[in-house]
Amino acid sequence: MAVSSVFDLRFSPESAQEGVDLARAIGADMPATTGCTGYDVIRDLADPGHVVIVTRWNTRGDGEAVLGSYFRDPKITRVTELLGHVPTGFLGELADK
């Protein structure tokens, strides 16, 4: 079953560009990991500090394995500093239409 991870990040206006750059770097890291089939980084047109990272995985286990260990990455540490909290997200699947 294919799954996606979704992280919804809201950076302050002062840190918006750095936050977007970090989000892009985080997304770009994922395809090199086992089971990742792609990613998107989406920036809100109305709020430049609002960024969503969506990664796609072959299986739930692939996503859980990588995302669980990735929280030790220095980019996540910096995102945490900018946000003032550890970023949270979830693994999910497309809802049936």
Side-chain angles (χ1 to χ4, degrees):
M1 159 185 63
V3 299
S4 295
S5 67
V6 179
F7 286 83
D8 188 0
L9 311 172
R10 292 180 184 266
F11 299 99
S12 70
E14 300 79 30
S15 63
Q17 189 56 56
E18 182 181 2
V20 170
D21 292 344
L22 285 163
R24 287 181 181 140
I26 290 166
D29 284 351
M30 294 301 113
T33 61
T34 300
C36 182
T37 62
Y39 73 96
D40 293 298
V41 177
I42 304 161
R43 185 177 197 171
D44 187 332
L45 292 173
D47 177 2
H50 183 197
V51 183
V52 176
I53 304 170
V54 179
T55 55
R56 294 176 295 283
W57 304 91
N58 284 321
T59 68
R60 180 179 184 170
D62 290 339
E64 287 174 342
V66 172
L67 297 175
S69 65
Y70 194 76
F71 274 93
R72 293 186 296 271
D73 187 274
K75 289 181 284 301
I76 298 298
T77 300
R78 182 62 183 146
V79 166
T80 299
E81 292 168 354
L82 293 175
L83 295 174
H85 59 84
V86 176
T88 58
F90 66 93
L91 285 169
E93 62 184 348
L94 292 176
D96 291 340
K97 296 180 181 177

Coordinates of all heavy atoms in Angstrom, one line a residue:
M1 N 0.8 -1.2 0.0 CA 0.0 0.0 0.0 C 0.9 1.2 0.0 O 1.8 1.4 0.8 CB -0.9 0.0 1.2 CG -1.4 1.3 1.6 SD -2.4 1.3 3.2 CE -1.2 0.8 4.4
A2 N 0.7 2.1 -0.9 CA 1.5 3.4 -1.0 C 0.9 4.4 0.1 O -0.3 4.4 0.3 CB 1.3 4.0 -2.4
V3 N 1.9 5.0 0.7 CA 1.5 6.0 1.7 C 2.2 7.3 1.5 O 3.2 7.4 0.8 CB 1.8 5.5 3.2 CG1 1.0 4.3 3.5 CG2 3.2 5.3 3.4
S4 N 1.7 8.4 2.1 CA 2.4 9.7 2.1 C 2.6 10.2 3.5 O 1.9 9.9 4.4 CB 1.5 10.7 1.3 OG 1.4 10.3 0.0
S5 N 3.7 11.0 3.6 CA 3.8 11.7 4.9 C 3.6 13.2 4.6 O 3.8 13.7 3.5 CB 5.3 11.5 5.5 OG 6.2 12.2 4.6
V6 N 3.0 13.8 5.6 CA 2.6 15.2 5.4 C 3.1 16.0 6.6 O 2.8 15.6 7.8 CB 1.1 15.4 5.3 CG1 0.7 16.8 5.1 CG2 0.5 14.6 4.1
F7 N 3.9 17.0 6.4 CA 4.3 18.0 7.4 C 3.9 19.4 7.0 O 4.3 19.9 6.0 CB 5.8 17.9 7.6 CG 6.3 16.6 8.3 CD1 6.4 15.4 7.6 CD2 6.5 16.6 9.7 CE1 6.8 14.3 8.2 CE2 6.8 15.4 10.3 CZ 7.0 14.2 9.6
D8 N 3.1 20.0 7.9 CA 2.6 21.3 7.7 C 3.4 22.3 8.6 O 3.2 22.2 9.8 CB 1.1 21.3 8.0 CG 0.4 22.6 7.6 OD1 1.0 23.5 7.1 OD2 -0.8 22.7 7.9
L9 N 4.2 23.2 8.0 CA 5.1 24.0 8.8 C 4.7 25.5 8.6 O 4.4 25.9 7.5 CB 6.5 23.8 8.3 CG 7.0 22.3 8.2 CD1 8.4 22.3 7.5 CD2 7.0 21.7 9.6
R10 N 4.7 26.2 9.7 CA 4.4 27.7 9.6 C 5.5 28.5 10.2 O 5.7 28.5 11.5 CB 3.1 28.0 10.3 CG 1.9 27.3 9.5 CD 0.6 27.6 10.2 NE -0.5 27.0 9.5 CZ -1.2 27.5 8.6 NH1 -1.0 28.8 8.2 NH2 -2.2 26.9 8.0
F11 N 6.3 29.1 9.4 CA 7.5 29.9 9.8 C 7.1 31.4 10.0 O 6.2 31.8 9.2 CB 8.6 29.8 8.8 CG 9.1 28.4 8.7 CD1 8.7 27.6 7.7 CD2 10.0 27.8 9.7 CE1 9.2 26.3 7.5 CE2 10.5 26.5 9.5 CZ 10.1 25.7 8.5
S12 N 7.7 32.1 10.8 CA 7.5 33.5 11.0 C 7.9 34.2 9.7 O 8.7 33.7 8.9 CB 8.2 34.1 12.2 OG 9.6 34.1 11.9
P13 N 7.4 35.4 9.5 CA 7.8 36.2 8.3 C 9.4 36.4 8.2 O 10.0 36.3 7.2 CB 7.1 37.5 8.4 CG 5.9 37.2 9.2 CD 6.3 36.1 10.2
E14 N 10.0 36.5 9.4 CA 11.4 36.7 9.5 C 12.2 35.5 9.1 O 13.3 35.6 8.6 CB 11.9 37.2 10.9 CG 11.2 38.5 11.4 CD 9.8 38.3 11.9 OE1 9.5 37.2 12.4 OE2 9.0 39.2 11.7
S15 N 11.6 34.3 9.3 CA 12.4 33.1 9.0 C 11.8 32.3 7.8 O 12.1 31.2 7.5 CB 12.4 32.2 10.2 OG 11.1 31.8 10.6
A16 N 10.8 33.0 7.1 CA 10.1 32.3 6.0 C 11.1 31.7 4.9 O 10.9 30.6 4.6 CB 9.1 33.2 5.4
Q17 N 12.0 32.5 4.5 CA 12.9 32.1 3.4 C 13.8 30.9 3.8 O 14.0 29.9 3.2 CB 13.7 33.2 2.8 CG 14.4 32.8 1.5 CD 13.5 32.2 0.4 OE1 12.6 32.9 0.0 NE2 13.7 31.0 0.0
E18 N 14.3 31.1 5.0 CA 15.2 30.0 5.6 C 14.3 28.7 5.8 O 14.8 27.6 5.5 CB 15.8 30.4 6.9 CG 16.7 29.3 7.4 CD 17.4 29.7 8.8 OE1 17.1 30.8 9.3 OE2 18.2 28.9 9.2
G19 N 13.1 28.9 6.2 CA 12.2 27.7 6.4 C 11.9 27.0 5.1 O 12.0 25.8 5.0
V20 N 11.7 27.8 4.1 CA 11.4 27.2 2.8 C 12.6 26.5 2.2 O 12.6 25.4 1.7 CB 10.9 28.3 1.8 CG1 10.9 27.7 0.3 CG2 9.5 28.8 2.2
D21 N 13.8 27.1 2.4 CA 15.0 26.5 2.0 C 15.3 25.2 2.7 O 15.7 24.2 2.1 CB 16.2 27.4 2.2 CG 16.2 28.7 1.3 OD1 15.4 28.7 0.2 OD2 16.9 29.6 1.6
L22 N 15.0 25.2 4.0 CA 15.2 23.9 4.8 C 14.2 22.9 4.3 O 14.5 21.7 4.2 CB 15.0 24.2 6.3 CG 16.1 24.9 6.9 CD1 15.7 25.5 8.3 CD2 17.3 24.0 7.1
A23 N 12.9 23.3 4.1 CA 11.9 22.3 3.6 C 12.3 21.7 2.3 O 12.2 20.5 2.1 CB 10.6 23.0 3.5
R24 N 12.8 22.5 1.4 CA 13.3 22.0 0.1 C 14.5 21.0 0.3 O 14.5 19.9 -0.4 CB 13.8 23.1 -0.8 CG 12.7 23.9 -1.4 CD 13.2 25.0 -2.3 NE 12.1 25.9 -2.8 CZ 12.2 27.2 -2.9 NH1 13.3 27.8 -2.6 NH2 11.2 27.8 -3.4
A25 N 15.4 21.3 1.2 CA 16.5 20.4 1.4 C 16.1 19.1 2.1 O 16.6 18.1 1.7 CB 17.5 21.2 2.3
I26 N 15.1 19.2 3.0 CA 14.6 18.0 3.6 C 13.9 17.1 2.6 O 14.1 15.9 2.5 CB 13.6 18.4 4.7 CG1 14.4 19.0 5.9 CG2 12.8 17.2 5.2 CD1 13.5 19.7 6.9
G27 N 13.0 17.7 1.7 CA 12.4 17.0 0.7 C 13.4 16.3 -0.2 O 13.3 15.1 -0.6
A28 N 14.4 17.1 -0.6 CA 15.5 16.5 -1.5 C 16.2 15.4 -0.9 O 16.8 14.5 -1.7 CB 16.4 17.7 -1.9
D29 N 16.3 15.3 0.4 CA 17.0 14.1 1.0 C 16.3 12.8 0.9 O 16.8 11.8 0.9 CB 17.2 14.4 2.5 CG 18.3 15.4 2.9 OD1 19.1 15.8 2.0 OD2 18.4 15.8 4.0
M30 N 15.0 12.9 0.8 CA 14.1 11.7 0.9 C 14.3 10.7 -0.3 O 14.3 9.5 0.0 CB 12.6 12.1 1.0 CG 12.3 12.8 2.3 SD 12.7 11.8 3.8 CE 14.1 12.8 4.5
P31 N 14.4 11.1 -1.6 CA 14.5 10.1 -2.6 C 15.7 9.2 -2.5 O 15.6 8.1 -3.1 CB 14.6 11.0 -3.9 CG 13.8 12.2 -3.6 CD 14.2 12.5 -2.1
A32 N 16.7 9.6 -1.8 CA 17.9 8.7 -1.6 C 17.6 7.6 -0.6 O 18.4 6.7 -0.4 CB 19.1 9.5 -1.3
T33 N 16.5 7.7 0.1 CA 16.2 6.7 1.2 C 15.4 5.6 0.6 O 14.6 5.7 -0.4 CB 15.5 7.4 2.3 OG1 14.3 7.9 1.9 CG2 16.4 8.5 3.0
T34 N 15.4 4.4 1.3 CA 14.7 3.2 0.9 C 13.2 3.4 0.9 O 12.7 3.9 1.9 CB 15.1 2.0 1.8 OG1 16.5 1.8 1.7 CG2 14.3 0.8 1.4
G35 N 12.6 3.2 -0.3 CA 11.1 3.2 -0.3 C 10.5 4.5 -0.7 O 9.3 4.6 -0.9
C36 N 11.3 5.6 -0.8 CA 10.7 6.9 -1.2 C 10.5 6.9 -2.7 O 11.4 6.7 -3.4 CB 11.6 8.0 -0.7 SG 10.9 9.7 -1.1
T37 N 9.3 7.3 -3.1 CA 9.0 7.4 -4.5 C 8.9 8.8 -5.0 O 8.7 9.0 -6.2 CB 7.7 6.6 -4.9 OG1 6.6 7.2 -4.2 CG2 7.9 5.1 -4.5
G38 N 9.0 9.8 -4.2 CA 9.0 11.2 -4.6 C 8.5 12.1 -3.5 O 8.2 11.7 -2.4
Y39 N 8.6 13.4 -3.8 CA 8.2 14.4 -2.8 C 7.7 15.7 -3.4 O 8.0 15.9 -4.6 CB 9.4 14.7 -1.8 CG 10.4 15.5 -2.5 CD1 10.5 16.9 -2.3 CD2 11.4 14.9 -3.2 CE1 11.5 17.7 -2.9 CE2 12.4 15.7 -3.8 CZ 12.4 17.1 -3.7 OH 13.4 17.8 -4.3
D40 N 7.0 16.5 -2.7 CA 6.6 17.8 -3.1 C 6.8 18.8 -1.9 O 6.5 18.4 -0.8 CB 5.2 17.9 -3.5 CG 4.9 17.1 -4.8 OD1 5.5 17.5 -5.8 OD2 4.1 16.1 -4.7
V41 N 7.3 20.0 -2.2 CA 7.3 21.0 -1.2 C 6.4 22.1 -1.7 O 6.6 22.6 -2.8 CB 8.8 21.6 -1.0 CG1 8.8 22.7 0.0 CG2 9.7 20.4 -0.5
I42 N 5.4 22.4 -1.0 CA 4.3 23.4 -1.4 C 4.4 24.6 -0.5 O 4.3 24.5 0.7 CB 3.0 22.7 -1.4 CG1 3.0 21.4 -2.2 CG2 1.9 23.7 -1.8 CD1 1.9 20.4 -1.8
R43 N 4.5 25.8 -1.2 CA 4.5 27.0 -0.4 C 3.2 27.8 -0.7 O 2.8 27.9 -1.8 CB 5.7 27.9 -0.9 CG 5.9 29.2 -0.2 CD 7.1 29.9 -0.7 NE 7.5 30.9 0.3 CZ 8.6 31.6 0.2 NH1 9.5 31.4 -0.8 NH2 8.9 32.5 1.1
D44 N 2.6 28.2 0.4 CA 1.3 28.9 0.4 C 1.5 30.3 -0.3 O 2.4 31.0 0.0 CB 0.9 29.2 1.8 CG -0.5 29.8 1.9 OD1 -0.9 30.5 1.0 OD2 -1.1 29.5 3.0
L45 N 0.8 30.5 -1.4 CA 0.9 31.8 -2.1 C 0.5 33.0 -1.3 O 1.0 34.1 -1.5 CB 0.0 31.7 -3.4 CG 0.4 30.8 -4.4 CD1 -0.6 30.7 -5.6 CD2 1.8 31.1 -5.0
A46 N -0.4 32.8 -0.3 CA -0.9 33.9 0.5 C 0.0 34.1 1.8 O 0.0 35.2 2.3 CB -2.3 33.7 0.9
D47 N 0.7 33.1 2.2 CA 1.5 33.2 3.4 C 2.9 32.5 3.1 O 3.0 31.3 3.2 CB 0.8 32.5 4.5 CG 1.6 32.4 5.8 OD1 2.7 33.0 5.9 OD2 1.1 31.8 6.8
P48 N 3.9 33.3 2.7 CA 5.2 32.7 2.3 C 5.9 31.9 3.4 O 6.7 31.1 3.1 CB 6.1 33.9 2.0 CG 5.1 35.1 1.9 CD 3.9 34.7 2.7
G49 N 5.5 32.0 4.7 CA 6.1 31.2 5.7 C 5.4 29.9 5.9 O 5.8 29.0 6.8
H50 N 4.3 29.6 5.2 CA 3.5 28.4 5.3 C 3.9 27.4 4.3 O 3.8 27.7 3.1 CB 2.0 28.7 5.2 CG 1.1 27.5 5.4 ND1 -0.2 27.5 5.0 CD2 1.3 26.3 6.0 CE1 -0.7 26.4 5.3 NE2 0.2 25.6 5.9
V51 N 4.5 26.3 4.7 CA 5.1 25.3 3.8 C 4.6 23.9 4.2 O 4.5 23.6 5.3 CB 6.6 25.3 3.8 CG1 7.2 24.4 2.8 CG2 7.2 26.7 3.6
V52 N 4.3 23.1 3.2 CA 3.9 21.7 3.4 C 4.9 20.8 2.6 O 5.2 21.1 1.5 CB 2.5 21.5 2.9 CG1 2.1 20.0 3.1 CG2 1.5 22.3 3.7
I53 N 5.4 19.8 3.3 CA 6.3 18.8 2.7 C 5.4 17.5 2.6 O 4.9 17.0 3.6 CB 7.5 18.5 3.5 CG1 8.3 19.8 3.8 CG2 8.4 17.5 2.8 CD1 9.4 19.7 4.8
V54 N 5.3 17.0 1.4 CA 4.6 15.7 1.2 C 5.6 14.8 0.6 O 6.2 15.1 -0.5 CB 3.4 15.9 0.3 CG1 2.7 14.5 0.0 CG2 2.4 16.9 0.8
T55 N 5.8 13.6 1.2 CA 6.7 12.6 0.7 C 5.9 11.3 0.4 O 4.9 11.1 1.1 CB 7.9 12.3 1.6 OG1 7.4 11.9 2.9 CG2 8.8 13.4 1.7
R56 N 6.2 10.6 -0.6 CA 5.5 9.4 -1.0 C 6.4 8.2 -0.8 O 7.6 8.2 -1.1 CB 5.0 9.5 -2.4 CG 4.0 10.6 -2.6 CD 3.5 10.8 -4.0 NE 4.6 11.3 -4.9 CZ 5.1 12.6 -4.9 NH1 4.6 13.5 -4.1 NH2 6.0 12.9 -5.7
W57 N 5.8 7.1 -0.2 CA 6.5 5.9 0.2 C 5.9 4.6 -0.4 O 4.6 4.6 -0.5 CB 6.6 5.8 1.7 CG 7.2 7.0 2.3 CD1 6.5 8.1 2.7 CD2 8.6 7.3 2.5 NE1 7.4 9.1 3.2 CE2 8.7 8.6 3.0 CE3 9.7 6.5 2.3 CZ2 9.9 9.1 3.4 CZ3 11.0 7.1 2.6 CH2 11.0 8.4 3.1
N58 N 6.7 3.6 -0.7 CA 6.1 2.4 -1.1 C 5.2 1.7 -0.1 O 4.2 1.2 -0.4 CB 7.2 1.4 -1.5 CG 7.9 1.7 -2.8 OD1 7.2 2.1 -3.8 ND2 9.2 1.6 -2.9
T59 N 5.7 1.8 1.2 CA 5.0 1.1 2.3 C 5.0 2.0 3.5 O 5.9 2.9 3.7 CB 5.5 -0.3 2.7 OG1 6.8 -0.1 3.2 CG2 5.6 -1.2 1.5
R60 N 4.1 1.7 4.4 CA 4.1 2.4 5.7 C 5.4 2.2 6.4 O 6.0 3.1 7.0 CB 2.9 1.9 6.5 CG 2.8 2.5 7.9 CD 1.6 2.0 8.7 NE 1.5 2.7 9.9 CZ 0.5 2.6 10.7 NH1 -0.6 1.8 10.4 NH2 0.4 3.3 11.9
G61 N 5.9 1.0 6.4 CA 7.2 0.6 7.1 C 8.3 1.4 6.6 O 9.2 1.9 7.3
D62 N 8.4 1.6 5.2 CA 9.5 2.4 4.6 C 9.4 3.9 5.2 O 10.4 4.4 5.6 CB 9.3 2.5 3.1 CG 9.7 1.2 2.4 OD1 10.3 0.4 3.0 OD2 9.2 1.0 1.3
G63 N 8.2 4.5 5.2 CA 8.1 5.8 5.7 C 8.4 5.9 7.2 O 9.1 6.8 7.6
E64 N 7.9 5.0 8.0 CA 8.2 5.0 9.4 C 9.7 4.9 9.7 O 10.2 5.6 10.6 CB 7.4 3.9 10.1 CG 5.9 4.3 10.2 CD 5.1 3.1 10.8 OE1 5.6 2.0 10.8 OE2 3.9 3.4 11.2
A65 N 10.3 4.0 9.0 CA 11.8 3.8 9.3 C 12.6 5.0 9.0 O 13.5 5.4 9.8 CB 12.3 2.6 8.4
V66 N 12.3 5.7 7.9 CA 13.1 6.8 7.5 C 12.8 8.0 8.4 O 13.6 8.7 8.9 CB 13.0 7.1 6.0 CG1 13.6 8.5 5.7 CG2 13.6 6.0 5.2
L67 N 11.5 8.3 8.5 CA 11.1 9.5 9.2 C 11.4 9.4 10.7 O 11.8 10.4 11.3 CB 9.6 9.7 9.0 CG 9.2 10.0 7.6 CD1 7.6 10.1 7.4 CD2 9.8 11.3 7.0
G68 N 11.4 8.2 11.3 CA 11.7 8.1 12.7 C 13.2 8.4 12.9 O 13.5 9.1 13.9
S69 N 14.1 8.0 12.1 CA 15.5 8.3 12.3 C 15.9 9.7 11.8 O 16.9 10.3 12.2 CB 16.3 7.3 11.5 OG 16.1 7.3 10.1
Y70 N 15.1 10.3 10.9 CA 15.5 11.6 10.3 C 15.4 12.7 11.2 O 16.0 13.8 11.0 CB 14.6 11.8 9.0 CG 15.1 12.9 8.2 CD1 16.2 12.7 7.3 CD2 14.5 14.2 8.2 CE1 16.7 13.7 6.5 CE2 15.0 15.2 7.4 CZ 16.1 15.0 6.6 OH 16.6 16.0 5.8
F71 N 14.6 12.6 12.3 CA 14.5 13.6 13.3 C 15.8 14.0 14.0 O 15.9 15.0 14.6 CB 13.4 13.3 14.3 CG 12.0 13.7 13.9 CD1 11.2 12.8 13.2 CD2 11.6 15.0 14.0 CE1 10.0 13.1 12.8 CE2 10.3 15.3 13.6 CZ 9.5 14.4 12.9
R72 N 16.9 13.2 13.8 CA 18.2 13.6 14.3 C 19.0 14.4 13.3 O 20.1 14.9 13.6 CB 18.9 12.3 14.7 CG 18.3 11.6 15.8 CD 19.1 10.4 16.3 NE 19.2 9.3 15.3 CZ 18.4 8.3 15.1 NH1 17.4 8.2 15.9 NH2 18.6 7.4 14.2
D73 N 18.5 14.7 12.2 CA 19.2 15.5 11.1 C 19.3 16.9 11.6 O 18.3 17.5 12.1 CB 18.4 15.4 9.8 CG 19.2 16.0 8.7 OD1 19.0 17.2 8.5 OD2 19.9 15.3 8.0
P74 N 20.4 17.6 11.3 CA 20.6 19.0 11.7 C 19.6 19.9 11.1 O 19.2 21.0 11.7 CB 22.0 19.3 11.2 CG 22.7 18.0 11.1 CD 21.7 17.0 10.8
K75 N 19.0 19.6 9.9 CA 18.0 20.4 9.3 C 16.7 20.4 10.1 O 16.1 21.5 10.3 CB 17.7 20.0 7.9 CG 18.9 20.3 6.9 CD 18.6 19.8 5.5 CE 18.7 18.4 5.2 NZ 20.0 17.7 5.5
I76 N 16.4 19.3 10.7 CA 15.2 19.2 11.6 C 15.5 20.0 12.8 O 14.6 20.7 13.4 CB 14.8 17.8 11.9 CG1 14.5 17.0 10.6 CG2 13.7 17.7 12.9 CD1 13.3 17.6 9.8
T77 N 16.7 19.9 13.4 CA 17.1 20.7 14.5 C 16.8 22.2 14.3 O 16.3 22.9 15.1 CB 18.5 20.4 14.9 OG1 18.7 19.0 15.2 CG2 18.9 21.3 16.2
R78 N 17.3 22.7 13.1 CA 17.1 24.1 12.8 C 15.6 24.4 12.6 O 15.2 25.5 13.0 CB 17.9 24.4 11.5 CG 17.8 25.9 11.2 CD 18.4 26.8 12.3 NE 18.2 28.2 11.9 CZ 18.0 29.2 12.7 NH1 17.9 28.9 14.0 NH2 17.9 30.4 12.3
V79 N 14.9 23.6 11.9 CA 13.4 23.8 11.7 C 12.8 23.9 13.1 O 11.9 24.8 13.3 CB 12.8 22.7 10.9 CG1 11.3 22.7 11.0 CG2 13.2 22.8 9.4
T80 N 13.2 23.0 14.0 CA 12.6 23.1 15.4 C 12.9 24.4 16.1 O 12.0 25.0 16.7 CB 13.2 21.9 16.2 OG1 12.8 20.7 15.6 CG2 12.7 21.9 17.6
E81 N 14.1 24.9 15.9 CA 14.5 26.2 16.4 C 13.6 27.3 15.8 O 13.1 28.2 16.6 CB 16.0 26.5 16.2 CG 16.9 25.6 17.0 CD 18.4 25.7 16.5 OE1 18.6 26.4 15.5 OE2 19.2 25.1 17.1
L82 N 13.4 27.3 14.5 CA 12.7 28.3 13.9 C 11.2 28.3 14.3 O 10.5 29.3 14.4 CB 12.8 28.2 12.4 CG 14.2 28.5 11.8 CD1 14.2 28.3 10.3 CD2 14.6 30.0 12.1
L83 N 10.6 27.1 14.4 CA 9.2 26.9 14.7 C 8.9 27.1 16.2 O 7.8 27.5 16.6 CB 8.7 25.5 14.3 CG 8.7 25.2 12.8 CD1 8.3 23.7 12.6 CD2 7.8 26.1 12.1
G84 N 9.9 26.8 17.0 CA 9.7 26.8 18.5 C 9.2 25.5 19.0 O 8.8 25.4 20.2
H85 N 9.1 24.5 18.2 CA 8.6 23.2 18.6 C 9.0 22.2 17.5 O 9.3 22.5 16.4 CB 7.0 23.2 18.7 CG 6.3 23.5 17.5 ND1 6.0 22.6 16.4 CD2 5.8 24.7 17.0 CE1 5.4 23.3 15.5 NE2 5.3 24.5 15.8
V86 N 9.0 20.9 17.9 CA 9.4 19.8 17.0 C 8.3 19.7 15.9 O 7.1 19.7 16.3 CB 9.5 18.5 17.7 CG1 9.8 17.3 16.8 CG2 10.6 18.6 18.8
P87 N 8.6 19.7 14.6 CA 7.6 19.6 13.6 C 6.9 18.2 13.7 O 7.5 17.2 14.0 CB 8.4 19.7 12.3 CG 9.8 19.4 12.6 CD 10.0 19.7 14.1
T88 N 5.6 18.3 13.5 CA 4.8 17.0 13.6 C 4.1 16.8 12.2 O 3.9 17.7 11.5 CB 3.7 17.1 14.7 OG1 2.8 18.2 14.4 CG2 4.3 17.2 16.0
G89 N 3.9 15.6 11.9 CA 3.3 15.2 10.7 C 2.6 13.9 10.9 O 2.5 13.4 12.0
F90 N 2.2 13.3 9.8 CA 1.6 12.0 9.8 C 1.8 11.2 8.5 O 2.1 11.8 7.5 CB 0.1 12.1 10.1 CG -0.7 12.8 9.0 CD1 -1.4 12.0 8.1 CD2 -0.9 14.1 9.0 CE1 -2.1 12.6 7.1 CE2 -1.6 14.8 8.0 CZ -2.2 14.0 7.0
L91 N 1.7 9.9 8.6 CA 1.6 9.0 7.5 C 0.2 8.7 7.2 O -0.6 8.4 8.1 CB 2.4 7.7 7.7 CG 3.9 7.8 7.8 CD1 4.5 6.5 8.3 CD2 4.5 8.1 6.4
G92 N -0.2 8.8 5.9 CA -1.6 8.5 5.6 C -1.7 8.0 4.1 O -0.7 7.8 3.4
E93 N -2.8 7.6 3.8 CA -3.1 7.1 2.4 C -4.2 7.9 1.8 O -5.0 8.6 2.5 CB -3.5 5.6 2.5 CG -4.7 5.3 3.2 CD -5.0 3.9 3.3 OE1 -4.4 3.1 2.6 OE2 -5.9 3.5 4.1
L94 N -4.3 7.9 0.5 CA -5.4 8.6 -0.2 C -6.7 8.0 0.2 O -6.9 6.8 0.2 CB -5.2 8.6 -1.7 CG -4.0 9.3 -2.2 CD1 -3.9 9.1 -3.8 CD2 -4.1 10.8 -1.9
A95 N -7.6 8.9 0.6 CA -9.0 8.4 0.9 C -9.7 8.0 -0.4 O -9.5 8.6 -1.4 CB -9.8 9.5 1.6
D96 N -10.5 6.9 -0.3 CA -11.2 6.5 -1.5 C -12.2 7.6 -1.9 O -12.7 8.3 -1.1 CB -12.1 5.2 -1.1 CG -11.2 4.0 -0.9 OD1 -10.0 4.0 -1.4 OD2 -11.7 3.1 -0.3
K97 N -12.3 7.7 -3.2 CA -13.2 8.7 -3.8 C -14.6 8.2 -3.8 O -14.9 7.1 -3.8 CB -12.7 9.1 -5.2 CG -11.4 9.7 -5.2 CD -10.9 10.0 -6.6 CE -9.5 10.6 -6.5 NZ -9.0 10.9 -7.8

